[in-house]
Structures are given as structure tokens and as C-alpha cells.
Amino acid sequence: MDDELFYRLVSLENLFDAWRRFCKGKRSRQDVMEFEYYLEDNLFALRDSLLKGMYRHDPYQSFTIFDPKQRSIHKASVRDRVVHQAVVNIIEPPFERQFIYDSFSCRLEKGTHAAVDRLRSFLRQVSSNNTKTVYALKCDIRRFFASVDHCLLLLLLRRQIHDRLTIKLLENIIGSFSVTTHRGIPLGNLTSQLFANVYLHELDRYVKHDLRVRYYLRYCDDFVILTSSRSEAFDWAERIGAFLNNRLKMQLHPNKVTVRTWEQGVDFLGYVLLPHATVLRTKTAKRILKRATQENLSSYSGVCQHANAYELERLFRTKALGDFLKYGSLDHT
């Protein structure tokens, strides 16, 4: 079997490129600085261990974030994250060519704002510019990252990758983490983002080719389908639920399957889309007001620019300036 893909993956050119991409914006962190201090030695040693088949993924450092809900993040070592980037550099392009246009998570120029803009365009089309009722079926997969089946994921990867050594490395990375036996991929790995799209491409194919749904878009494990028929929306939800259970060994979140009209508001990725406005979800707006500082103003302003949120932007700018003048620092917690 040809292992050309693997030798491209472990080439010094790719490993140094992986380092450059990985360390962007992270050079001030202690573990990154330590790795960079002996950068060439570390990358040569990493390449040697990969070529000899001696590379083994290190344990993860786990911690919890609240953004906005509680999430368990598993942080890999710098060495392993360079490997993750090197893997994605090489294996992502052939998968990317297969993904549907309306899959928006962790893809170039396919962020949250692009997804929201696309959904608004769909809503206008299906409603004939708000002259007809349009129903939005919104679904969420229950505990998606914790539910990914390792064997099925590897099977899907092998469809595209026929390189023995690359598959062995992927088995190493996938097997480095589990929630239950042979299930789960870690939030925090760059590879997990690609694996999620590979896994849920099966859902995309089912919805687009088997159900023949025209107006469908997905952002990771959240997806929306538009239709002019309320009963059709519920029928599709039932069929998708059965597909996920039988084919991908997953379940729709029972409390996050909703059907709403555009007039009622379509809640997606922190925004609520209405016929004549796009507003921020109430929880999102409250979180911005609570966390706004001089340091993150530009980021939050970007969020507001994609919604009718002039008053909110004025409030959090005032709040951030007040904190700065009071505490004399860029951030106060």
C-alpha cells in the first residue's frame, strides 16, 4: 500500500508549517515558549518518532469553561497539537472537496456570520420575501463530541485515506481519548473539528440526497431545515432522528428540536432572525454586557455589526470605558 501521504505529513516542510500555524497568537504561553526554545530539536525529534512508529499521544490536561454553558475541554501537549495541525494540513483538502456547500463549522470563510447570512438568504427565498409562511426545523445532536463512535469514524476516514501509516497515526490520535469505551473525541483538538465534519457529512448526504431537502444548513451539530409545511418539518425530524440512531449511533437532543415560523423568530448561533431584523439572543446580549472590556471591544463590536444591536453596542462600550477609568487596566474580573 502506498504511504506517500504519510511521508508528506511527516516531512520537515509540513511540520514547520504546522508549527507556524499552531503557534500564531500563542507564543506568549509558557508551554509554547518552552517548545520554541528548542524548536528545531523538538521538531526533528518529533519527525524521528513518527517515522520510526514510536510516536504515542500524551495524556490530556482537562479543565472546565463556561461559555455560556459548562464544557469540558481537553488540552493536548504542544507536541501533540503540532501533530494535529500537521495531520489537518495534509488530510483535510480531499475531505473538503467532498463536503456540501452549506456545512459551515471550522471551514475557510464558513464561520458563524456566514452561516447566519446564508440562513437569512434561505428564509427570504422560501418565504418569497416574506409573502409566504416558512417553517424552520432546528435540531441539535445530544452530546455529539462525547458520542462519536471510534470504529465508525475510522471507517469513514478509510474511505478517503488508503495510506496504512496515516491510518495508524489517526488510530493513535483517536484512541488517545474516550468518554466511554471507544466513544468520544475531545473538545479542544484541531483534529476533532475535522473529524466532526467527516462524521456529520453522512448526515449531510442523507438530508440532501435521500430526503432531497433543498434548504438545509449545518454548523457542527446544530442544523436548520426550512420548509413551507409544518407537518413536513416534523416528518423530517423523525426520519433524521432514526437515521442518526441507526447509522451514526447518536440521538437528537429531545429538548432542542423546534419548529418555528420566521415571524416567531429563528434562533441560530446566538442570533434570532426575524423578517425585518436580526437580533442577538437575550443570553448572548447579557453575556456581552457582563464581559465587555476595552480589550475585547472590537470582537464584540463585530458580533453586533451582524445584528440590529446599536443600543447594546453603546451600552457595552460605555460599560467597558467605565471599568477602564475606574480600575485603570484593560481587563477587570
Side-chain angles (χ1 to χ4, degrees):
M1 187 176 291
D2 188 1
D3 291 318
E4 177 187 355
L5 194 70
F6 177 77
Y7 292 113
R8 284 172 51 207
L9 195 158
V10 302
S11 68
L12 287 174
E13 179 183 12
N14 187 48
L15 290 177
F16 273 97
D17 181 60
W19 165 256
R20 285 190 293 270
R21 295 188 187 202
F22 158 74
C23 73
K24 192 174 294 184
K26 304 183 185 76
R27 277 198 162 97
S28 61
R29 299 177 186 176
Q30 184 64 34
D31 55 350
V32 177
M33 287 193 293
E34 290 173 0
F35 191 93
E36 187 171 27
Y37 192 78
Y38 298 103
L39 179 61
E40 290 193 2
D41 289 344
N42 285 328
L43 291 183
F44 275 90
L46 175 58
R47 181 174 188 264
D48 191 53
S49 68
L50 287 164
L51 283 170
K52 291 180 177 178
M54 298 173 63
Y55 168 79
R56 296 294 181 271
H57 201 286
D58 292 328
Y60 291 86
Q61 176 188 350
S62 62
F63 56 95
T64 302
I65 63 170
F66 300 87
D67 189 28
K69 62 183 180 181
Q70 182 175 326
R71 296 179 185 273
S72 295
I73 303 297
H74 292 81
K75 179 182 174 183
S77 68
V78 172
R79 180 192 74 138
D80 291 329
R81 282 181 283 167
V82 172
V83 172
H84 299 166
Q85 182 68 67
V87 167
V88 170
N89 283 356
I90 299 301
I91 75 167
E92 184 176 47
F95 285 107
E96 178 67 29
R97 289 191 288 270
Q98 295 181 350
F99 294 154
I100 66 168
Y101 181 85
D102 291 312
S103 163
F104 282 87
S105 176
C106 304
R107 300 175 65 194
L108 187 63
E109 298 182 357
K110 297 275 189 177
T112 56
H113 296 148
V116 171
D117 290 345
R118 181 69 164 169
L119 178 55
R120 174 165 286 280
S121 174
F122 277 178
L123 286 162
R124 285 198 297 265
Q125 291 178 53
V126 180
S127 68
S128 297
N129 286 320
N130 199 31
T131 60
K132 300 176 183 177
T133 301
V134 53
Y135 297 93
L137 165 66
K138 183 175 178 294
C139 301
D140 180 290
I141 298 173
R142 185 180 183 185
R143 301 184 72 240
F144 169 72
F145 283 90
S147 302
V148 170
D149 182 272
H150 290 186
C151 294
L152 179 54
L153 174 58
L154 283 164
L155 177 66
L156 298 174
L157 291 167
R158 286 191 183 100
R159 285 184 183 176
Q160 182 65 42
I161 299 170
H162 308 292
D163 178 311
R164 174 181 55 87
L165 293 177
T166 301
I167 289 295
K168 186 176 180 181
L169 176 58
L170 293 175
E171 288 175 344
N172 189 337
I173 294 171
I174 293 168
S176 68
F177 176 88
S178 62
V179 175
T180 57
T181 305
H182 303 307
R183 290 179 79 86
I185 54 177
L187 277 168
N189 274 13
L190 180 63
T191 48
S192 294
Q193 299 171 5
L194 174 59
F195 293 160
N197 278 332
V198 171
Y199 207 88
L200 289 177
H201 180 61
E202 298 303 296
L203 170 64
D204 299 341
R205 289 175 56 190
Y206 174 72
V207 172
K208 297 296 289 184
H209 299 295
D210 289 45
L211 298 184
R212 297 185 179 278
V213 174
R214 182 175 180 183
Y215 298 100
Y216 161 84
L217 60 84
R218 178 179 62 78
Y219 190 95
C220 196
D221 58 330
D222 291 340
F223 58 92
V224 178
I225 292 175
L226 302 184
T227 175
S228 57
S229 167
R230 184 180 178 86
S231 61
E232 185 174 55
F234 282 109
D235 177 61
W236 279 341
E238 185 175 346
R239 295 171 70 179
I240 289 170
F243 172 83
L244 286 170
N245 188 44
N246 297 331
R247 180 73 179 88
L248 298 182
K249 304 179 183 180
M250 294 187 163
Q251 296 179 335
L252 290 177
H253 196 300
N255 300 326
K256 296 184 179 179
V257 176
T258 61
V259 176
R260 294 173 64 87
T261 65
W262 195 7
E263 284 73 17
Q264 291 174 310
V266 180
D267 188 333
F268 189 54
L269 301 179
Y271 295 90
V272 179
L273 285 76
L274 296 155
H276 303 295
T278 297
V279 299
L280 285 170
R281 184 188 297 160
T282 302
K283 288 183 179 179
T284 304
K286 288 181 177 179
R287 190 164 70 252
I288 287 176
L289 278 175
K290 181 180 179 181
R291 298 182 179 182
T293 66
Q294 287 288 313
E295 192 173 42
N296 59 30
L297 276 182
S298 61
S299 176
Y300 284 150
S301 292
V303 172
C304 290
Q305 285 171 12
H306 288 80
N308 301 86
Y310 172 80
E311 183 63 20
L312 173 64
E313 185 170 5
R314 184 187 68 78
L315 286 172
F316 75 67
R317 283 184 177 278
T318 301
K319 184 258 185 187
L321 178 60
D323 285 350
F324 175 71
L325 293 174
K326 181 177 180 180
Y327 299 107
S329 65
L330 289 178
D331 195 4
H332 176 76
T333 57

